Amino acid sequence: MPLADILHMNIGDGDSSYANNSLFTKIEIQKAAPFIMRTIRSMANHDVFFDHCFRIADLGCSSGKNTLLIASNVINTIEEVYQENNRKIPQFEVCLNDLFGNDFYNVFKLLPDFYKTLRKDKGDKFSPCFVSAVPGSFYGRLFPDKSLHLVHSCYSIHWLSKVCHGLENNKLNIYIAKTSPLNVLQAYGNQFHTDFTKFLQLRFEELVCGGCMVLTLRSRSSLDPTGDDSNSFWDLLTISLLEMLKEGLVQESDIISFNIPFYFPHEDELRDIIQAEGPFSLDNIDVFELNWGQDDYTYMNEYTHESNHNQGKNTSNLIRAITESLFTSHFGNSIIDELFKKCEKNATEHLATNITRHLSVVVSLTKKMNDSVVHIILLVP
Ligand code: SAH
Ligand code: EXU
């Protein structure tokens, strides 16, 4: 079955739903907020704001409180910038994209409150905002030509379009690991290169000239994909699967044929692809680090005003929220509870002695103005 028909973050609002495990990404979204602000300001300076309707797409929006947070951030910023420039605030169209299996229903249920809050906060200045869902893969066309002003995506584009070929000798690893052979690292890197190039080409068609993208992805610190601890989350899963193999609960051949289809690029890899794919200018690139361990839980607890001592369980729940659909589709339902029970134990042990660094990279890009547009602007006076 194609990956686009299998992959989804866990639905609903239970302990291992993505909606209940998206605090970490929320922090990332807040960190990327200044990028969005800067991007919108630069669009205003370049006079991209001529439309009566500002159209935003959030690609890989998933389902949870973060989903509409982006829309609020963007709307607030645009209002500020428009007011500074004495322009009439536009209408907004927010297009939420994710794969077909995404829990859009849960997003729809959040909409009445979202609209109500907007209306309350903005009072008479309220400019209509229309939210729509656009299911489908961002590795295909999603929008008409030149229809988007801003594309946002957080923690989604590191997902590949498919499990790459040539991973047979990755043996009992389920992602890039210290013992992965060179051809496996290359296969993952090449697949990311192909997918991200395609992604840029597709969005180029869909953005207006001067339109922008702000993209946040998981990243890594070392050019060698096995050279830092960015994979330790997934190593916990591998260890848990191997324990199940020893206990006769899973088959060796099933582990050998299972590989997770994401890739966390180094910032240089991203920069190279963007520059090779000419029509976007790279306006900003930055790398953030978050430490998965004591520090960030303290931070998160302050953030949520909850005291949370069960880091192993939280870690295992987050990993489950992200990967369960892939495990269920490959190994069947029956292994899931045991797998994540083991994962919780292994995560607790791991976190007792390690702090894991999680790197993210955020880029902002502008679709270059083409010659014909410059020509029209020159002719108008
Ligand atoms: N942006 C949200 C959710 C990230 S979860 C946040 O920051 O919290 C990653 C999402 O990307 C998942 O919901 C997954 O279904 C989606 N995704 C992965 N590959 C995709 C693709 N090819 N097209 C559209 N969405 C995709
Ligand atoms: C996600 C991660 C993560 C997090 N990956 N998502 C959505 C993801 O796809 C690969 O590592 N959300 O909070 N993390 C850590």
Side-chain angles (χ1 to χ4, degrees):
M1 227 202 294
L3 178 62
D5 297 345
I6 297 169
L7 179 67
H8 58 81
M9 303 297 110
N10 279 359
I11 65 168
D13 53 12
D15 283 351
S16 61
S17 63
Y18 191 72
N20 258 336
N21 286 282
S22 45
L23 200 51
F24 191 85
T25 356
K26 181 169 177 182
I27 295 174
E28 286 307 322
I29 290 172
Q30 304 292 39
K31 287 193 174 178
F35 267 70
I36 299 182
M37 208 104 90
R38 231 181 297 159
T39 300
I40 290 173
R41 281 187 193 285
S42 89
M43 286 170 85
N45 290 338
H46 289 94
D47 240 356
V48 181
F49 281 14
F50 46 80
D51 268 6
H52 64 287
C53 180
F54 191 90
R55 203 168 291 115
I56 309 146
D58 187 27
L59 306 184
C61 64
S62 197
S63 143
K65 296 196 184 74
N66 293 346
T67 312
L68 293 162
L69 181 65
I70 299 300
S72 310
N73 283 353
V74 172
I75 291 172
N76 291 338
T77 308
I78 291 180
E79 281 195 348
E80 257 177 59
V81 174
Y82 267 69
Q83 271 166 3
E84 283 165 19
N85 289 283
N86 286 325
R87 293 172 190 237
K88 187 171 165 347
I89 295 167
Q91 299 181 352
F92 296 97
E93 186 173 352
V94 178
C95 307
L96 302 174
N97 155 262
D98 207 292
L99 294 172
F100 299 101
N102 184 52
D103 195 356
F104 283 110
Y105 179 59
N106 198 37
V107 180
F108 296 154
K109 286 194 294 189
L110 300 172
L111 282 175
D113 264 355
F114 171 75
Y115 287 130
K116 207 156 88 196
T117 310
L118 265 188
R119 220 170 272 128
K120 195 168 120 233
D121 291 352
K122 312 287 172 214
D124 340 326
K125 283 189 285 138
F126 177 72
S127 195
C129 169
F130 305 97
V131 178
S132 57
V134 181
S137 169
F138 50 57
Y139 295 121
R141 278 293 295 268
L142 295 167
F143 302 98
D145 285 357
K146 298 191 174 120
S147 58
L148 300 175
H149 296 92
L150 181 68
V151 168
H152 172 271
S153 180
C154 179
Y155 270 22
S156 307
I157 302 168
H158 48 232
W159 286 95
L160 301 171
S161 65
K162 58 176 192 231
V163 182
C164 27
H165 296 297
L167 302 181
E168 293 74 17
N169 62 349
N170 203 19
K171 298 283 169 57
L172 294 171
N173 296 319
I174 60 169
Y175 179 56
I176 294 172
K178 298 255 186 264
T179 56
S180 295
L182 190 61
N183 68 294
V184 167
L185 316 186
Q186 284 165 345
Y188 267 103
N190 290 342
Q191 188 64 47
F192 179 78
H193 191 288
T194 306
D195 286 341
F196 190 59
T197 302
K198 178 96 189 277
F199 178 89
L200 292 178
Q201 288 164 349
L202 293 160
R203 302 298 83 80
F204 177 77
E205 301 294 332
E206 295 169 349
L207 278 160
V208 301
C209 284
C212 291
M213 299 208 272
V214 178
L215 313 174
T216 307
L217 294 78
R218 287 285 313 269
S219 185
R220 59 174 205 269
S221 59
S222 159
L223 273 172
D224 169 5
T226 63
D228 65 13
D229 55 5
S230 60
N231 302 338
S232 56
F233 248 37
W234 327 109
D235 291 344
L236 294 172
L237 271 173
T238 309
I239 296 166
S240 311
L241 266 180
L242 293 182
E243 287 172 4
M244 292 183 78
L245 175 65
K246 243 194 223 150
E247 293 169 18
L249 300 173
V250 293
Q251 308 240 324
E252 187 175 75
S253 58
D254 282 344
I255 303 182
I256 291 175
S257 57
F258 182 77
N259 288 286
I260 305 184
F262 52 45
Y263 181 76
F264 307 152
H266 186 271
E267 63 174 306
D268 289 353
E269 280 176 289
L270 267 190
R271 195 182 280 112
D272 287 351
I273 301 172
I274 292 162
Q275 283 165 355
E277 204 38 50
F280 284 98
S281 61
L282 175 59
D283 305 326
N284 274 300
I285 183 162
D286 205 354
V287 173
F288 308 117
E289 182 177 315
L290 223 65
N291 293 321
W292 191 261
Q294 209 72 46
D295 294 352
D296 281 314
Y297 269 104
T298 313
Y299 178 40
M300 285 188 202
N301 295 344
E302 276 168 16
Y303 217 75
T304 53
H305 308 289
E306 281 169 17
S307 84
N308 205 330
H309 303 293
N310 204 342
Q311 292 183 40
K313 186 156 193 58
N314 287 331
T315 303
S316 163
N317 276 341
L318 174 60
I319 297 176
R320 182 168 179 168
I322 298 169
T323 58
E324 181 170 343
S325 62
L326 300 174
F327 279 101
T328 306
S329 142
H330 190 84
F331 293 92
N333 253 332
S334 59
I335 71 152
I336 300 296
D337 283 342
E338 184 58 28
L339 176 65
F340 288 99
K341 211 164 100 193
K342 289 185 162 28
C343 187
E344 178 181 334
K345 173 191 60 103
N346 290 320
T348 307
E349 283 171 19
H350 177 79
L351 290 167
T353 48
N354 293 282
I355 285 185
T356 303
R357 294 185 328 137
H358 278 266
L359 244 64
S360 299
V361 58
V362 54
V363 289
S364 53
L365 308 174
T366 302
K367 175 173 166 173
K368 289 179 185 163
M369 302 276 184
N370 61 26
D371 292 340
S372 59
V373 171
V374 174
H375 195 57
I376 292 168
I377 293 171
L378 290 177
L379 283 179
V380 167

